[in-house]
Amino acid sequence: MDNPKRIEEGLANAPHLDENQKNGLEQKERGVVVHVDNEQAITKEEEPVLIVKQKSKRVATLDAFRGLTIVMMILVDDAGGAYARIDHSPWNGCTLADFVMPFFLFIVGVAIALALKRIPKMQTAIKKIIIRTLKLLFWGIILQGGYSHAPSDLAYGVDMKVIRWCGILQRIAVVYMIVALIEVATTKQRPNLLKPGHLSIFTSYKWQWLGGFIAFAVYMITTYSLYVPDWTFSVEEDHVMKQHTVKCGMRGHLGPACNAVGYVDRQLWGINHLYSDPVWQRLKACTFSSPSSGPFRKDAPSWCRASFEPEGFLSTISAILSGTIGIHYGHVLIHLKGHAERLKQWISMGLFLIIIAIILHFTDAIPINKQLYSFSYVCFTGGAAGIIFSAFYILIDVWGWRIPFIWLEWIGMNAMLVFVGGAQGILEGFFNGWYYKSTDNTLDHVFNDVWHSVRLGTLLYVIFAQITFWAVIAGILHKLRIYWKL
């Protein structure tokens, strides 16, 4: 990587160079400066100043951050059962697993800003956005709708009466579509140059922030004003279907049983189409094994056995804010040319969001809650994403420490493949289909038996048979220039 002190950007109106001038310029090593995410390189001599266009390079931080998010997802999904402290918080609070979804949406927002930096034809751009959205929805329903039972069960198929319509990719699809369409629709309002001032980057993209504010307003008004009546559900207990009634009759409740987020999903999708294993089952009110999973208490409230959709409709509206924060970081990357200017914007906003979240949470005004995708949760995870993104930018793109993070870049460049094969357990399910005498004799059980510990065996299995394996596969595919893109 080039010496960061020599990196510059943003020079335009370059004089035309013929081939002889370019060839002669390429032979001069002194004074050549190339920026990692711009399309121009400049050569500084005493006279004249010559500017040469070179091929655009990928933003290494973007791939590394995306790769980190995928790795976090594999870790918490596969090891969360053995280490409850990194699994999703049963209700209020934030654990390692709770950062995964907003980190995905944050990096989607950053990528949208870079991908839609230039829009030659608006209709073509809109068509691509719609097609990509439909692809994400399709894969989301296949992977998380109940059709795939991998890796635990060697079976496929889903009863349409209980298919789950929502999920991770579905939420990413909706947020991507809305944020990208706003970006395309406001193309003519984009500034070529920012006005002086720290806040000019915000005012220059006011329509994107207006979209985020509308999503925030819809979520907050609905959450605190919608009346939630009593509701019923049926669940099988001891091979017998039993009906339960949950008493509500209130507004603005943020607990598990009577919140507006769950009510909207029950009305919109039907309770049979919601996630049947919600994290609230690990609350102390539901099990003595809290925060781990365990049998229900005899005096557990009836709602402990009910379904709840963590990627539901109303919470997805709130999630649009995570994408809006991400696209802001992308706009900063595009318009501000110096490392110090970018980091000043990114870090200050990240710290501001975290402070807002902490105040809201510890004053009990709006608790940090992933299941509800509360505003404080948006701020806390968005701020954390911004700080970590800034740290990656310093380490990788400013200081040039790319080698230690190259494996994250490889995973990030093939994120969809690793998500499907690794995070969703498709390849693991394929390997589990090859067993000796019993389905218990699979690779993950071998790790547990060798180490005589479920916790340690699970952790080592995830690190070596999952994360390390997919890093090697992604690296090989990168060398072969093979990428799965939607």
Side-chain angles (χ1 to χ4, degrees):
M1 179 176 176
D2 297 300
N3 188 331
K5 295 182 179 179
R6 301 170 62 199
I7 294 178
E8 298 179 14
E9 301 181 42
L11 299 182
N13 303 318
H16 176 73
L17 302 179
D18 58 31
E19 291 299 317
N20 292 332
Q21 287 175 307
K22 291 181 180 179
N23 292 335
L25 186 62
E26 289 173 354
Q27 295 175 0
K28 298 180 180 180
E29 295 181 358
R30 298 185 61 185
V32 176
V33 183
V34 181
H35 193 274
V36 293
D37 59 354
N38 206 344
E39 296 157 353
Q40 295 180 336
I42 64 171
T43 297
K44 288 190 173 180
E45 300 290 340
E46 293 184 1
E47 288 186 3
V49 176
L50 300 178
I51 302 176
V52 182
K53 291 185 178 181
Q54 293 191 3
K55 186 178 180 180
S56 177
K57 297 181 180 180
R58 290 182 70 92
V59 180
T61 299
L62 183 69
D63 291 321
F65 187 94
R66 190 186 295 113
L68 173 69
T69 307
I70 293 288
V71 168
M72 287 169 53
M73 185 175 190
I74 294 175
L75 177 64
V76 299
D77 281 356
D78 292 346
Y83 297 87
R85 295 297 179 182
I86 68 171
D87 203 352
H88 290 290
S89 174
W91 199 244
N92 292 337
C94 192
T95 64
L96 183 63
D98 295 320
F99 287 101
V100 174
M101 172 57 76
F103 276 26
F104 270 130
L105 299 178
F106 172 88
I107 208 63
V108 165
V110 177
I112 289 173
L114 298 177
L116 299 179
K117 183 165 56 175
R118 293 179 180 83
I119 304 175
K121 294 183 179 180
M122 184 176 296
Q123 291 183 343
T124 302
I126 293 175
K127 181 180 178 181
K128 290 181 178 179
I129 291 170
I130 298 301
I131 291 175
R132 178 167 291 181
T133 300
L134 293 175
K135 288 179 179 179
L136 286 168
L137 290 172
F138 169 78
W139 279 107
I141 293 174
I142 290 294
L143 294 171
Q144 293 195 302
Y147 180 80
S148 171
H149 299 252
S152 57
D153 296 327
L154 305 178
Y156 292 90
V158 59
D159 184 351
M160 293 299 292
K161 291 183 179 180
V162 295
I163 188 173
R164 182 188 176 199
W165 296 114
C166 302
I168 295 172
L169 289 181
Q170 294 94 310
R171 170 168 286 176
I172 292 175
V174 173
V175 173
Y176 162 77
M177 180 184 69
I178 293 175
V179 174
L181 287 178
I182 293 175
E183 187 78 352
V184 170
T186 58
T187 301
K188 295 182 180 179
Q189 283 75 41
R190 293 185 194 175
N192 292 324
L193 295 174
L194 292 180
K195 296 179 180 179
H198 185 78
L199 299 179
S200 63
I201 188 70
F202 294 91
T203 57
S204 297
Y205 287 94
K206 56 182 178 293
W207 295 108
Q208 284 77 356
W209 286 109
L210 177 62
F213 176 78
I214 291 174
F216 163 77
V218 169
Y219 173 82
M220 294 295 287
I221 292 172
T222 306
T223 297
Y224 286 94
S225 66
L226 183 64
Y227 178 79
V228 180
D230 299 346
W231 53 282
T232 61
F233 68 97
S234 298
V235 64
E236 185 176 347
E237 298 178 35
D238 299 326
H239 307 290
V240 177
M241 294 299 295
K242 293 184 179 180
Q243 188 176 70
H244 298 273
T245 299
V246 181
K247 296 292 184 178
C248 290
M250 60 183 71
R251 289 184 173 88
H253 187 65
L254 300 180
C258 301
N259 59 79
V261 172
Y263 175 66
V264 169
D265 288 327
R266 290 191 295 272
Q267 296 299 113
L268 183 61
W269 312 112
I271 195 167
N272 291 333
H273 298 284
L274 308 184
Y275 185 54
S276 59
D277 192 26
V279 296
W280 70 32
Q281 294 179 354
R282 296 189 284 109
L283 283 169
K284 290 181 180 180
C286 299
T287 178
F288 288 115
S289 302
S290 180
S292 301
S293 299
F296 289 116
R297 298 169 47 157
K298 291 183 179 180
D299 61 343
S302 58
W303 51 261
C304 290
R305 296 171 170 82
S307 299
F308 180 83
E309 183 51 66
E311 276 81 43
F313 179 77
L314 189 57
S315 55
T316 296
I317 291 178
S318 178
I320 294 171
L321 277 170
S322 294
T324 303
I325 294 170
I327 203 170
H328 169 74
Y329 275 68
H331 291 151
V332 171
L333 186 63
I334 291 171
H335 286 283
L336 301 184
K337 307 309 177 182
H339 297 312
E341 291 177 292
R342 290 172 174 174
L343 291 169
K344 181 180 178 181
Q345 284 279 348
W346 289 341
I347 295 175
S348 62
M349 183 169 185
L351 293 176
F352 174 76
L353 290 172
I354 291 175
I355 292 171
I356 292 296
I358 290 174
I359 293 173
L360 291 174
H361 180 75
F362 286 101
T363 58
D364 291 327
I366 304 177
I368 295 174
N369 189 297
K370 190 268 180 187
Q371 307 304 309
L372 301 178
Y373 220 97
S374 63
F375 178 64
S376 56
Y377 172 75
V378 172
C379 293
F380 186 70
T381 55
I387 296 298
I388 295 175
F389 187 84
S390 301
F392 269 31
Y393 182 78
I394 293 172
L395 294 172
I396 299 173
D397 287 320
V398 178
W399 292 353
W401 294 0
R402 193 168 181 178
I403 297 300
F405 303 95
I406 194 68
W407 62 284
L408 290 176
E409 287 187 49
W410 293 339
I411 293 176
M413 285 187 279
N414 244 317
M416 187 62 185
L417 175 66
V418 182
F419 176 85
V420 173
Q424 295 302 304
I426 299 301
L427 187 62
E428 184 182 1
F430 172 79
F431 286 141
N432 287 349
W434 305 86
Y435 54 87
Y436 181 72
K437 291 185 179 180
S438 171
T439 54
D440 289 335
N441 295 325
T442 53
L443 188 58
D444 55 338
H445 290 87
V446 170
F447 272 79
N448 295 343
D449 293 339
V450 169
W451 293 97
H452 304 289
S453 170
V454 174
R455 287 168 60 88
L456 181 58
T458 299
L459 180 61
L460 293 176
Y461 171 76
V462 172
I463 292 175
F464 292 105
Q466 290 279 15
I467 297 174
T468 303
F469 170 81
W470 281 108
V472 172
I473 294 297
I476 294 172
L477 293 177
H478 171 62
K479 294 299 180 182
L480 298 175
R481 299 185 180 276
I482 298 175
Y483 309 99
W484 181 5
K485 298 181 180 180
L486 293 182

